[in-house]
Amino acid sequence: MEKILEVENLELSFHTFAGEVKAIRGVNFDLKKGETLAIVGESGSGKSVTTKAIMRLLPESSSEFKNGQILFDGKDLTKLTDKEMQKIRGKDISMIFQDPMTSLNPTMTIGKQIMEPILKHQKLSKIEAQKMAIYLLQLVGMPQPEQRIKQYPHQFSGGQRQRIVIAIALACNPKILIADEPTTALDVTIQAQILELMKDLQKKIDTSIIFITHDLGVVANVADRVAVMYSGKIVEIGTVDEIFYNPQHPYTWGLLSSMPSLDVQEAKLYAIPGTPPDLLDPPKGDSFALRSEYAMQIDLEEIPPFFKVSDTHYAATWLLHPDAPEVTPPATIIERMKRFPSSRYYKGANGGATK
Amino acid sequence: MAKYVFKRVIYMILTLFLIASFTFSLMKMLPGSPISTSSKLTPNQLAAVEAKYGLDKPLPVQYGIYMKNMVKLDFGTSFQFKEASVTELIINRAGPSFILGIQALILGTIGGIILGMIAALRQNTAWDYGSTLIAIFGISIPSFVFASLLQYWIGVKGGFLPVGLWENGWKSSILPTIALAMGPLATSARFIRTEMIEVLGTDYITLAKAKGASGIEIAFKHAFRNALIPLITVMGPLAAGLVTGSLVVEQIFAIPGIGEQFVKAINVSDYSVIMGTTMFFSVLLILVIFIVDILYGIVDPRIRLAGGNKQ
Ligand SMILES: Nc1ncnc2c1ncn2[C@@H]1O[C@H](COP(=O)(O)OP(=O)(O)OP(=O)(O)O)[C@@H](O)[C@H]1O
Ligand SMILES: [Mg+2]
């Protein structure tokens, strides 16, 4: 499939009073046309920073690209001028933010806010743009769009506001849509509605989506592929099935074990021990080693490269090195692997469960 | 909207009534009377004069007469300028004060907004520090010091603008306007700077950037209006500051305005002029606050007045 975005060896730092925060420490991934890539990981792992770096929305005064490139449409986004970037934002790449209560301008009608990118990037008259805005509101399931475009954000509920933000993001048929935890701030029923809407839209429009979330349950629902981030790096990337049923990195094991599930009845939810490393002074080697019961000597000394598991599945852990000893993943993970054909624990499609 | 305005007008009248009563009682509590300070009269003469002005009647009666006349916009006659009606005295003096007040308000807020915007958009540059410096001067140096400095350095030493009085047309108003405007200018510059910086960090500004808006569009289309809202709330106090400032500045530049007359009236305990002017200032400020509230609703849709476009 055609690649629409390639992030290569991206390194980015923030300059703060405390020193240099190495927030992104070598991120590699690509995004294919029409697919949804989920980025998961603990708070502070760099999910938002990665996507904001793609859109160049980080504060210019304190952030710095140290290395790598972001290739989009034959251009390296890290090298573009502000003017060139403005032509891409909102048109080719657009974004949905976490908190719909704060992401709309309180003193501007929502009609104007939806029309803004249309007027900016397309050669449309005001009247045509307004028609387009009404159409978009309809598309995201807002009743009575003709009246509602004249209203202000405070006249809408949280779920409705997120629909408006989605309408804005879709206004110019972007090639890439970045959704940074678009449902986290909403209550559960509304979350489900917004997710349903996004899945629906994904079928209607041919946009590649980067979907950031904490919630692995959501991932299985919306994504084609998953990238697992930890302390400024992607530690494992693969298709949803590969990540869910054949995970290789101990951090992914931890994440999956801490996910509440229906079929594995457990009294207590698992929590990954320890805290993420300080990005002011990241540890040598595998930054997860200090929290991992599977850590080996080499994990403390050298950063693991990506090992290939399949054509679509890569993981950065020394456990995949040919010389590494074979380890036994946690029981819940083995349960999962039993359903994955190329796994050594494979027991058939239903995981070996007998009726 | 009509209902809202009606309600506000009722409140305004009530406020004025309270202010009038309060000033009346304050006046009566102060020692001295216009007659005792100004002349050496025999007790007989004193009694005659007091009777003439109604000062011999019991207080509640004086109060009743005062309030009744006030409704008719009659604030009585001045004690110091024989027989001149207070209302006329105020009207005759209103021109210069109004010109100064309006000019200072415009110069102060618009100048302050420009200064604050520059500071916020060029944060931590020489522009920012320069504007901060001006603001600190404006806030910490009282207007009478500015007035004296301007008068001395530009009026006396420089000689290219009038030192005082109101005899050279608009030119006469320049220095007092600047002196009066420094306070509001500094305050609005600080306000706009702080608010702009805060607004520029909000999510909706990031979203505007994510739509492809340019720096100028971000600053003026998205941020400015939101940064203006808090400034509008302090417009009332700013206007009040101008009124008090005008008392001193008019005095220094010897401008025949209401403020100068007010200060003179205080010096000679000219009750009727003091009360008339106080009421006049009160009406003015209450009107300003009313206009500010309406403006507030226009700028901030969240508090559109009841009866506007309801959902
Ligand atoms: N403007 C900034 N200045 C300094 N450090 C920053 C800045 N923005 C982010 N960081 C740091 O970069 C790291 C990654 O932050 P990021 O917001 O990408 O996390 P995240 O994975 O999105 O977390 P969450 O799930 O909580 O949203 C954090 O350690 C954060 O403190
Ligand atoms: Mg985030």
Side-chain angles (χ1 to χ4, degrees):
Chain A
M1 242 193 296
E2 190 186 334
K3 285 177 188 169
I4 188 139
L5 180 80
E6 283 172 83
V7 177
E8 281 173 10
N9 206 18
L10 189 68
E11 285 174 40
L12 182 141
S13 290
F14 290 104
H15 298 285
T16 67
F17 289 118
E20 182 183 337
V21 177
K22 301 187 183 79
I24 305 293
R25 305 183 301 132
V27 160
N28 290 283
F29 69 92
D30 51 39
L31 186 67
K32 299 184 178 70
K33 214 168 170 230
E35 79 165 343
T36 300
L37 172 73
I39 302 182
V40 299
E42 274 171 308
S43 191
S45 55
K47 307 180 295 289
S48 298
V49 172
T50 304
T51 48
K52 282 195 173 150
I54 295 171
M55 282 224 73
R56 291 264 303 272
L57 287 175
L58 295 167
E60 304 225 324
S61 49
S62 62
S63 65
E64 187 196 348
F65 285 112
K66 307 287 281 189
N67 196 7
Q69 46 186 7
I70 301 169
L71 292 175
F72 171 77
D73 216 7
K75 288 173 284 217
D76 179 3
L77 297 186
T78 65
K79 302 256 157 39
L80 294 192
T81 63
D82 255 358
K83 270 243 158 60
E84 291 167 322
M85 213 47 225
Q86 282 163 21
K87 288 193 189 120
I88 291 177
R89 288 189 201 123
K91 177 171 173 276
D92 295 322
I93 309 178
S94 62
M95 197 155 183
I96 304 168
F97 295 90
Q98 177 170 343
D99 188 357
M101 299 315 273
T102 56
S103 35
L104 291 167
N105 187 339
T107 59
M108 205 186 258
T109 62
I110 63 132
K112 265 200 183 152
Q113 298 190 53
I114 301 175
M115 281 156 64
E116 195 180 10
I118 302 171
L119 290 171
K120 189 138 192 84
H121 300 297
Q122 297 174 16
K123 289 189 183 69
L124 288 183
S125 71
K126 266 220 160 111
I127 295 171
E128 289 169 314
Q130 193 172 32
K131 274 192 196 138
M132 181 81 187
I134 292 172
Y135 163 76
L136 285 164
L137 277 180
Q138 234 155 13
L139 189 73
V140 298
M142 180 78 70
Q144 295 171 309
E146 291 87 357
Q147 282 97 61
R148 306 225 81 176
I149 53 166
K150 295 184 203 93
Q151 295 182 333
Y152 290 89
H154 70 277
Q155 292 166 296
F156 295 85
S157 70
Q160 287 176 323
R161 290 192 208 187
Q162 198 61 307
R163 285 171 196 267
I164 295 165
V165 174
I166 293 173
I168 292 173
L170 297 179
C172 297
N173 276 317
K175 299 193 175 101
I176 300 172
L177 176 64
I178 297 169
D180 190 348
E181 307 199 34
T183 60
T184 310
L186 302 168
D187 68 55
V188 185
T189 44
I190 309 292
Q191 271 187 20
Q193 286 173 16
I194 295 289
L195 274 183
E196 217 34 59
L197 171 71
M198 291 201 58
K199 273 164 63 184
D200 219 41
L201 291 171
Q202 193 186 0
K203 277 182 220 141
K204 284 187 200 160
I205 52 174
D206 186 33
T207 297
S208 309
I209 299 178
I210 298 178
F211 196 105
I212 298 178
T213 179
H214 276 117
D215 186 347
L216 284 166
V218 169
V219 172
N221 223 337
V222 298
D224 302 306
R225 284 197 304 142
V226 185
V228 180
M229 256 192 113
Y230 182 75
S231 72
K233 282 168 167 295
I234 288 179
V235 294
E236 184 161 6
I237 187 165
T239 65
V240 170
D241 279 351
E242 285 165 339
I243 298 297
F244 273 71
Y245 298 111
N246 193 26
Q248 299 298 320
H249 198 285
Y251 179 65
T252 315
W253 294 347
L255 270 189
L256 286 168
S257 306
S258 57
M259 171 187 173
S261 75
L262 296 174
D263 44 85
V264 185
Q265 296 294 329
E266 269 176 310
K268 220 172 71 184
L269 264 185
Y270 174 81
I272 302 171
T275 50
D278 181 7
L279 294 174
L280 277 168
D281 184 22
K284 250 171 77 177
D286 183 344
S287 52
F288 187 60
L290 295 173
R291 299 171 70 187
S292 169
E293 53 186 293
Y294 301 97
M296 300 175 289
Q297 190 54 41
I298 187 159
D299 279 318
L300 302 173
E301 283 156 17
E302 273 188 65
I303 297 176
F306 260 132
F307 290 95
K308 181 173 168 177
V309 183
S310 78
D311 280 345
T312 50
H313 189 182
Y314 294 83
T317 168
W318 286 117
L319 291 178
L320 290 173
H321 192 272
D323 297 342
E326 194 151 295
V327 297
T328 315
T332 54
I333 301 300
I334 294 178
E335 280 306 312
R336 291 172 169 277
M337 287 175 165
K338 282 179 184 170
R339 300 177 207 181
F340 198 79
S342 63
S343 158
R344 58 189 147 107
Y345 297 100
Y346 183 60
K347 290 256 180 67
N350 61 1
T354 45
K355 282 227 177 107
Chain B
M1 183 75 185
K3 202 174 134 206
Y4 173 80
V5 171
F6 179 75
K7 219 167 87 187
R8 282 299 299 263
V9 169
I10 298 290
Y11 278 129
M12 276 154 63
I13 292 171
L14 209 70
T15 316
L16 284 176
F17 171 78
L18 287 177
I19 293 172
S21 313
F22 190 62
T23 1
F24 181 85
S25 39
L26 272 184
M27 282 293 111
K28 291 297 161 187
M29 278 191 280
L30 286 178
S33 85
I35 304 146
S36 69
T37 46
S38 62
S39 47
K40 301 173 188 88
L41 300 169
T42 65
N44 262 350
Q45 285 171 313
L46 199 70
V49 176
E50 281 190 338
K52 187 183 169 213
Y53 288 108
L55 294 175
D56 58 340
K57 300 205 173 68
L59 270 183
V61 178
Q62 286 187 35
Y63 175 70
I65 294 172
Y66 177 75
M67 291 307 255
K68 202 180 90 201
N69 287 339
M70 205 183 64
V71 174
K72 294 187 277 182
L73 289 185
D74 176 6
F75 295 96
T77 49
S78 161
F79 296 127
Q80 47 172 334
F81 310 106
K82 294 170 189 66
E83 306 306 318
S85 107
V86 171
T87 313
E88 258 169 48
L89 279 177
I90 291 175
I91 290 173
N92 290 342
R93 290 284 190 118
S97 297
F98 260 118
I99 293 177
L100 286 189
I102 299 278
Q103 285 187 168
L105 196 62
I106 293 174
L107 176 69
T109 46
I110 296 187
I113 287 171
I114 294 173
L115 215 60
M117 286 290 273
I118 292 174
L121 297 176
R122 297 269 173 276
Q123 217 184 321
N124 300 327
T125 64
W127 287 99
D128 188 12
Y129 301 137
S131 128
T132 308
L133 207 65
I134 294 177
I136 291 172
F137 278 136
I139 289 171
S140 51
I141 302 179
S143 54
F144 69 84
V145 176
F146 268 121
S148 314
L149 287 175
L150 286 170
Q151 191 174 40
Y152 182 71
W153 287 104
I154 298 181
V156 178
K157 286 269 174 177
F160 41 85
L161 282 172
V163 177
L165 296 175
W166 197 253
E167 284 157 3
N168 296 293
W170 185 68
K171 265 183 163 175
S172 305
S173 75
I174 297 177
L175 291 185
T177 298
I178 296 175
L180 260 182
M182 279 315 284
L185 184 128
T187 310
S188 19
R190 284 293 84 187
F191 248 83
I192 287 288
R193 180 186 183 272
T194 317
E195 277 310 311
M196 274 299 280
I197 288 172
E198 192 180 319
V199 168
L200 286 174
T202 58
D203 286 352
Y204 59 84
I205 292 299
T206 315
L207 183 74
K209 271 185 210 154
K211 292 197 247 181
S214 66
I216 288 180
E217 285 170 323
I218 299 275
F220 292 96
K221 246 171 91 179
H222 288 274
F224 179 59
R225 191 162 168 184
N226 290 290
L228 207 55
I229 293 169
L231 179 65
I232 293 176
T233 52
V234 293
M235 288 291 276
L238 277 187
L242 280 182
V243 169
T244 42
S246 75
L247 303 186
V248 182
V249 170
E250 284 182 10
Q251 195 74 14
I252 290 173
F253 287 97
I255 287 168
I258 299 174
E260 197 242 16
Q261 177 173 267
F262 189 53
V263 175
K264 261 192 198 143
I266 293 171
N267 286 338
V268 297
S269 304
D270 192 344
Y271 286 174
S272 40
V273 172
I274 295 174
M275 298 228 262
T277 313
T278 308
M279 286 316 290
F280 175 76
F281 283 153
S282 309
V283 172
L284 198 74
L285 286 177
I286 287 174
L287 275 178
V288 167
I289 291 169
F290 178 61
I291 294 170
V292 163
D293 280 353
I294 303 252
L295 264 183
Y296 199 34
I298 291 174
V299 175
D300 189 347
R302 282 164 296 190
I303 46 165
R304 284 271 145 93
L305 313 167
N309 56 338
K310 254 190 252 153
Q311 212 186 302

